[in-house]
């Protein structure tokens, strides 16, 4: 058995090093970071190690050489100077009232002012912060290090509440602006977060920040690379393979399929989700660990408010400008990309276009499962059972039972969900068939008020055509005219050709015909 103690949920570098938790050495990259620039911004999904990165930087700038024993930094750093550090963690607050942010910032300032003092006339949060930076530098004789963890938490929590978000933005803009106005007193500054609110938001004045979110050099700074797994977790992989009764190679393949695939820059190596990876080794089984820690509902609110076609998600195309910034106009794609639910799958160099998709199985299945209760009347528990029944019916050839169950997914749909009926109908079918497709082979396509779908199991092949406000006969006719079933005519499995019509009047499946 592996004797590693996995640092699951532990974000404090000193605790990891003193209490014997396993640490994958990132300190050579951290050394490069601090020696080649002063101000940085890094966007990464939640549970990717951003807080641990800032904690490691804090220990380094505190001159705690003993914590780096045996790591790359021990040989690289010669001076080990102690700097005054102002570490602000915005992850601790719940931002749901006008004074929520002020209270968190005031609490941090009071702590710093207890050490470095106050001055009359510092009446605003930004002026108090500026004063603390100035006095810390003068009193210690060293320039200040500023570390801000989850800088965007107040803005993310108020997506959809424009008035509160504007208020928070107006508070944060001058507060973070101190990083620029007090440049002479600052040694190093770093902001981390899930997203980058750009242009009209807090970043408009911070043009001195280097954004390393899409920098190839710093891709491995948070998360785990395939090479790091091979170098650090060989024993763990073998134990996982033994526990799951599969070969070592199969364990590697399964691990890659489920947790690898994050690409934060084009043509770069894939990054594994560290939280899911460590949980897999701790439990010695594959699971949906990242999703068990919760998914923010603001993502679904964005998708629904922007009338987003979910099928697009698997092959969305956009440019670097969109991926790098959230402009405040509530486009869902940059938020979903930066939150880690989509990643870069391809890049068209000629036109500068990125093709996006789900990074891995854990994210794809988890996100689609998460969406179901928001688009149907079934809650999280019920929807899992419903999918299980769908799969059973498909595998046993119970076509009518399958469609009756599908009808129940549209029954009692709240009117506000059906303002765009065609899109709602397409999105519900996409969710259902995407989830069924994790257990049977499924191909799903949409085009102008119609959907064609192929499901394949060991015994059956289903070729379906869905119409909106047409007839089931027309749908069946389309299957024949377009020769959708032709690829399967010589197949020994039983073939079903199914025409289905969805009625806007009843807001449900009106009729289906099976041949």
């Amino acid at each position: 058995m592996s004797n590693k103690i996995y640092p699951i949920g532990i974000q404090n570098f000193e605790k990891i090093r003193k209490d014997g938790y396993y640490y994958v050495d990132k300190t050579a990259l951290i050394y490069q970071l601090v020696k080649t620039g002063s101000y940085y911004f890094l966007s990464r999904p939640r549970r990717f190690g951003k807080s641990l990165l800032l904690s490691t930087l804090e220990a380094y700038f505190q001159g705690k050489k003993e914590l780096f024993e045996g790591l790359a930094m021990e040989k690289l750093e010669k001076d080990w100077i102690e700097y005054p550090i102002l570490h602000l963690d915005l992850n601790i607050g719940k931002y749901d009232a006008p004074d929520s942010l002020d209270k968190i910032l005031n609490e941090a300032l009071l702590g710093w002012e207890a050490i470095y003092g106050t001055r009359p006339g510092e009446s605003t949060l930004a002026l108090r912060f500026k004063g603390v930076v100035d006095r810390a530098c003068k009193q210690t004789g060293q320039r200040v290090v500023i570390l801000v963890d989850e800088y965007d938490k107040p803005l993310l929590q108020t997506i959809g509440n424009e008035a509160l978000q504007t208020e928070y933005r107006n508070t944060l803009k001058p507060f973070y602006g101190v990083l620029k106005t007090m440049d002479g007193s600052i040694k190093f500054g770093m902001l981390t977060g899930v997203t980058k609110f750009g242009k009209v938001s807090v970043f408009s004045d911070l043009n001195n920040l280097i954004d390393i979110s899409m920098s190839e050099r710093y891709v491995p700074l948070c998360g785990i690379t395939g090479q790091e797994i091979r170098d650090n977790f060989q024993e763990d992989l073998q134990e996982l393979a033994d526990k799951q009764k599969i070969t070592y190679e199969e364990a590697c393949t399964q691990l890659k399929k489920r947790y690898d695939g994050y690409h934060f820059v084009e043509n770069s190596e894939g990054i594994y989700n560290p939280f899911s990876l460590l949980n897999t080794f701790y439990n010695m089984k594959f699971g949906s660990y990242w999703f068990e820690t919760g998914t923010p509902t603001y993502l679904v609110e964005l998708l629904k408010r922007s009338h987003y076609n979910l099928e697009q998600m698997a092959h969305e195309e956009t440019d670097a400008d969109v991926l790098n910034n959230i402009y405040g106009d509530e486009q869902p794609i940059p938020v979903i990309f930066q939150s880690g639910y989509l990643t870069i799958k391809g890049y068209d160099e000629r036109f500068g276009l990125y093709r996006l998709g789900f990074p891995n199985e854990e994210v794809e299945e988890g996100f689609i499962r998460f969406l179901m209760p928001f688009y149907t009347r079934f809650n999280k528990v019920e929807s899992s059972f419903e999918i299980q029944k769908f799969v059973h019916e498909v595998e046993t050839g119970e076509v009518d039972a399958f469609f009756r169950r599908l009808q129940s997914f549209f029954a009692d749909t709240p009117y506000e969900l059906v303002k765009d009926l065609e899109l709602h109908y397409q999105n519900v079918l996409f969710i259902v068939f995407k989830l069924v497709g994790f257990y049977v082979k499924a191909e799903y396509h949409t085009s102008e008020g119609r959907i064609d779908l192929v499901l394949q199991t060991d015994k059956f092949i289903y070729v379906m055509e869905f119409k909106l406000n047409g007839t089931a006969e027309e749908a069946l006719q389309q299957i024949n005219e377009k020769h959708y079933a032709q690829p399967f005519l010589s197949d020994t499995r039983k073939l079903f050709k199914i025409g289905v019509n969805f009625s806007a009047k009843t807001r449900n499946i009106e009729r289906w015909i099976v041949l």
Side-chain angles (χ1 to χ4, degrees):
M1 273 183 68
S2 168
N3 58 359
K4 292 186 183 75
I5 310 172
Y6 302 107
I8 295 167
I10 296 170
Q11 301 166 346
N12 183 278
F13 179 72
E14 186 165 348
K15 181 175 179 178
I16 285 174
R17 298 296 289 164
K18 283 187 171 177
D19 293 358
Y21 289 95
Y22 196 76
Y23 177 72
V24 175
D25 190 357
K26 302 284 185 180
T27 60
L29 263 184
I30 290 171
Y31 180 81
Q32 186 180 54
L33 189 79
V34 299
K35 296 300 181 185
T36 56
S38 292
Y39 300 101
Y40 293 99
F41 169 72
L42 177 66
S43 157
R44 283 292 178 268
R46 63 192 173 85
R47 300 287 191 173
F48 250 81
K50 300 185 297 294
S51 297
L52 176 57
L53 169 65
L54 291 190
S55 178
T56 310
L57 282 163
E58 183 169 17
Y60 165 75
F61 281 116
Q62 284 171 333
K64 294 184 174 178
K65 182 180 179 181
E66 72 282 2
L67 297 179
F68 294 85
E69 194 177 319
L71 301 178
M73 185 72 85
E74 183 186 29
K75 294 188 176 73
L76 292 167
E77 183 55 72
K78 304 292 184 249
D79 299 327
W80 296 101
I81 298 166
E82 184 179 354
Y83 296 90
I85 294 167
L86 305 177
H87 191 159
L88 175 65
D89 183 2
L90 290 185
N91 205 27
I92 57 176
K94 189 174 185 219
Y95 302 96
D96 55 2
D99 64 346
S100 299
L101 176 59
D102 287 6
K103 284 177 179 174
I104 297 284
L105 295 179
N106 182 56
E107 185 72 19
L109 285 164
L110 287 172
W112 299 332
E113 286 166 343
I115 302 168
Y116 301 112
T118 60
R119 192 164 54 217
E122 292 173 352
S123 55
T124 67
L125 294 165
L127 283 173
R128 288 169 65 193
F129 188 28
K130 183 173 179 286
V132 166
V133 171
D134 181 49
R135 288 188 294 280
C137 180
K138 285 173 179 168
Q139 288 171 26
T140 62
Q142 295 291 349
R143 284 174 296 154
V144 179
V145 171
I146 299 173
L147 305 172
V148 183
D149 200 1
E150 305 290 358
Y151 92 98
D152 56 342
K153 190 78 178 280
L155 301 176
L156 277 175
Q157 284 197 357
T158 50
I159 283 180
N161 185 340
E162 201 172 319
L164 198 51
Q165 190 172 87
T166 300
E167 193 161 327
Y168 287 165
R169 191 186 297 142
N170 292 341
T171 299
L172 289 172
K173 200 172 177 183
F175 193 85
Y176 292 144
V178 171
L179 271 81
K180 191 171 181 182
T181 57
M182 295 299 291
D183 181 46
S185 302
I186 298 172
K187 164 71 177 172
F188 182 89
M190 188 165 196
L191 275 69
T192 69
V194 169
T195 53
K196 183 178 179 184
F197 283 83
K199 302 264 175 155
V200 299
S201 197
V202 295
F203 275 86
S204 53
D205 294 336
L206 283 179
N207 53 8
N208 59 333
L209 281 179
I210 301 171
D211 184 356
I212 58 171
S213 308
M214 292 182 75
S215 162
E216 191 163 3
R217 184 191 304 179
Y218 294 114
V219 162
L221 192 57
C222 290
I224 308 287
T225 67
Q227 188 60 52
E228 284 171 332
I229 290 175
R230 289 186 288 276
D231 291 345
N232 295 273
F233 297 103
Q234 277 209 344
E235 275 181 62
D236 313 71
L237 265 168
Q238 187 58 62
E239 189 181 341
L240 176 66
D242 294 343
K243 280 272 164 63
Q244 295 300 313
K245 297 180 172 54
I246 55 178
T247 66
Y248 178 86
E249 289 71 25
E250 285 169 337
C252 292
T253 302
Q254 186 75 348
L255 204 70
K256 188 175 178 62
K257 264 173 62 180
R258 285 204 64 79
Y259 310 121
D260 187 18
Y262 291 89
H263 295 271
F264 301 110
V265 62
E266 68 273 12
N267 307 319
S268 65
E269 64 184 319
I271 296 291
Y272 286 74
N273 181 321
F275 185 75
S276 297
L277 192 74
L278 294 177
N279 270 285
T280 301
F281 289 140
Y282 178 80
N283 293 293
M284 284 298 155
K285 66 178 182 181
F286 301 103
S288 294
Y289 300 109
W290 194 55
F291 271 88
E292 285 166 10
T293 63
T295 295
T297 53
Y298 65 73
L299 290 175
V300 186
E301 296 306 321
L302 271 179
L303 289 169
K304 285 164 70 175
R305 201 161 42 242
S306 62
H307 298 290
Y308 187 77
N309 183 342
L310 296 177
E311 197 207 352
Q312 275 177 246
M313 203 178 289
H315 44 79
E316 185 73 59
E317 284 198 338
T318 190
D319 62 21
D321 200 29
V322 172
L323 289 188
N324 268 320
N325 287 291
I326 290 168
Y327 299 110
D329 56 2
E330 299 194 356
Q331 288 183 38
I333 289 309
V335 185
I336 291 166
F337 167 74
Q338 291 177 20
S339 300
Y341 298 89
L342 292 178
T343 196
I344 296 167
K345 289 290 191 179
Y347 180 64
D348 185 328
E349 197 169 342
R350 187 180 176 198
F351 297 103
L353 288 176
Y354 292 89
R355 181 172 58 80
L356 306 182
F358 294 108
N360 52 48
E361 275 185 6
E362 182 192 30
V363 173
E364 184 173 19
E365 185 172 355
F367 195 51
I368 302 295
R369 279 188 185 279
F370 174 74
L371 288 175
M372 188 184 277
F374 294 91
Y375 284 85
T376 72
R377 65 189 182 90
F378 295 100
N379 64 34
K380 187 180 175 183
V381 175
E382 290 169 335
S383 57
S384 295
F385 282 113
E386 291 298 313
I387 293 302
Q388 184 185 10
K389 289 168 188 169
F390 270 130
V391 173
H392 173 75
E393 286 154 0
V394 168
E395 289 178 338
T396 54
E398 298 174 50
V399 180
D400 290 336
F402 177 88
F403 279 101
R404 282 194 294 272
R405 186 172 313 284
L406 196 53
Q407 278 180 322
S408 71
F409 269 66
F410 293 101
D412 305 323
T413 303
Y415 178 72
E416 61 270 17
L417 286 181
V418 199
K419 285 178 182 168
D420 186 341
L421 180 71
E422 182 178 334
L423 183 65
H424 175 65
Y425 145 77
Q426 289 183 350
N427 281 343
V428 171
L429 288 179
F430 172 78
I431 290 168
V432 169
F433 290 121
K434 195 74 179 167
L435 289 173
V436 169
F438 288 118
Y439 305 97
V440 303
K441 194 175 175 188
E443 290 175 58
Y444 175 101
H445 309 282
T446 67
S447 173
E448 296 172 16
R450 44 168 286 268
I451 291 172
D452 61 83
L453 172 79
V454 176
L455 292 179
Q456 297 182 56
T457 72
D458 292 343
K459 295 177 182 175
F460 304 104
I461 298 168
Y462 301 83
V463 178
M464 305 183 199
E465 175 72 27
F466 291 79
K467 288 278 189 189
L468 176 65
N469 293 331
T471 66
E473 286 83 1
E474 286 171 353
L476 202 56
Q477 187 181 343
Q478 179 132 3
I479 291 173
N480 292 325
E481 285 178 356
K482 300 276 186 180
H483 308 293
Y484 291 153
Q486 194 158 4
F488 310 106
L489 293 179
S490 60
D491 201 293
T492 55
R493 290 172 290 179
K494 184 172 181 180
L495 175 68
F496 290 106
K497 291 192 282 188
I498 306 166
V500 188
N501 185 54
F502 189 95
S503 162
K505 189 176 177 183
T506 63
R507 290 190 244 154
N508 210 320
I509 291 170
E510 172 237 358
R511 189 161 177 251
W512 62 89
I513 301 173
V514 185
L515 280 183

